[in-house]
Structures are given as structure tokens and as C-alpha cells.
Amino acid sequence: MNAVIYVSKGGNTRKLADAVAKGAGVKAQSVAGTAAGTAAAAADGTANLAQVDILFIGASIYAGKINKDLRQFLQALKEKQAAKAVVFGTSAGGKNALAEIKPVLESRGIPVSPEVFHCKGSFLCVNSGRPNAEDLAQAEEFARRVCNGGL
Ligand SMILES: Cc1cc2nc3c(=O)[nH]c(=O)nc-3n(C[C@H](O)[C@H](O)[C@H](O)COP(=O)(O)O)c2cc1C
């Protein structure tokens, strides 16, 4: 069983999450929508997240960092709760969330793939329309390849 979890304040990473989930054959779950519907509840129990094979994690960058609810959620994962994690996400520039997520998960015994799917996300008047249809198609294909062992 694979899982796709994400945080998206403005909807850009949610679009990618839905595309990744399609490629992975599962339903994307917002961290804020897990457990009792609050990030704190999710961090306490990760109730909706069972033991998974591949955990896809969708993260955007806000003021240089990932969202704190997502960080809290990752910190609450159980030891080896996922066999492997794969990061995807959006930001206005080129920065992705791998460097911030990797040490948190590795401290839980969860290896993190060096392969990341990242694309530009619209922000104010930059990157209008991103992620676009092509980004979403690529995200879906990325997830499919990961799940088929091609990445
Ligand atoms: C408050 C705020 C701070 C942001 N800071 C950064 C940043 O430091 N670097 C960057 O590349 N993008 C930054 N962005 C742009 C977002 O990463 C980008 O719009 C992303 O696609 C948002 O994803 P979301 O719609 O899923 O929340 C920021 C956006 C907001 C709203």
C-alpha cells in the first residue's frame, strides 16, 4: 500500500498531489485533513496513515521552509512507518523540500529517494498557471515510474 500526503495553502501542491495520487493509484490526503481534521491530531496519531510501502510527500516552500504542520506530521511518524519516501512539490523559485524533509525521515529510519518531482507554482504575479497540464501529466508519470520500480 502506498500513500500520498501533502500540505497546500494555496492549492498548487494539492493539484500535484492529485496527479501523483492518480499515478500511484491511491487518494491524496491533506495533512490538515487527516485524523480528526487538525494537524495537531494528525501529529499525535497519524491515525489515517497505516504502514505504507512508498510514502509520497507533497510540500511547498514558504519563506524558505516547509509548512510547520507538515514538519510536525513527519516528526510524528513511527519508526520505519514507510519503507521509502519520495518528495514532490512546488515553489516560486527552484527550491524543493528534500533537504528539509530528508533528515526528519531518516531519523525515523525511513529512507528518502534522491529523486524529487518539483515544479514552479504560481505566486503573486509569477509563474501564472503553474502547475499546468504538462506539469500534472509529468507528476503522474513520475509517480507511476516510482511505483513500478523505475526510479
Ligand atoms: C507566504 C509565502 C511565502 C513564500 N515563500 C517562498 C519562498 O521562500 N521561496 C519560493 O520559492 N517560493 C515561495 N512562495 C511561493 C510558494 O512556494 C508557491 O506559490 C507554491 O506553489 C505554493 O504552494 P501551495 O499553493 O500548494 O501552497 C511563498 C508563498 C507564500 C504564500
Side-chain angles (χ1 to χ4, degrees):
M1 180 69 185
N2 300 326
V4 178
I5 64 104
Y6 68 96
V7 165
S8 178
K9 295 293 180 189
N12 292 338
T13 294
R14 179 179 50 72
K15 290 181 192 163
L16 274 195
D18 287 340
V20 166
K22 197 169 168 197
V26 297
K27 194 170 182 306
Q29 295 183 66
S30 165
V31 164
T34 53
T38 67
D44 280 351
T46 60
N48 286 354
L49 195 63
Q51 182 68 34
V52 295
D53 298 319
I54 305 172
L55 175 61
F56 290 92
I57 301 166
S60 311
I61 301 293
Y62 308 102
K65 295 183 173 167
I66 64 170
N67 170 269
K68 71 171 173 25
D69 292 342
L70 178 61
R71 168 171 279 277
Q72 206 182 351
F73 178 90
L74 298 175
Q75 285 169 337
L77 289 173
K78 297 182 194 78
E79 182 78 13
K80 301 192 192 311
Q81 191 166 348
K84 167 184 174 177
V86 178
V87 173
F88 66 93
T90 63
S91 67
K95 182 170 176 173
N96 69 55
L98 179 65
E100 205 177 334
I101 289 176
K102 190 174 152 78
V104 178
L105 292 190
E106 287 182 347
S107 75
R108 301 285 171 284
I110 300 170
V112 183
S113 170
E115 304 289 343
V116 173
F117 185 86
H118 183 84
C119 75
K120 303 258 184 189
S122 60
F123 178 51
L124 301 176
C125 51
V126 297
N127 308 328
S128 178
R130 305 287 302 274
N132 57 25
E134 192 181 336
D135 296 323
L136 299 181
Q138 286 175 359
E140 184 181 333
E141 179 54 27
F142 171 81
R144 199 166 279 126
R145 267 189 290 140
V146 169
C147 293
N148 290 339
L151 275 180

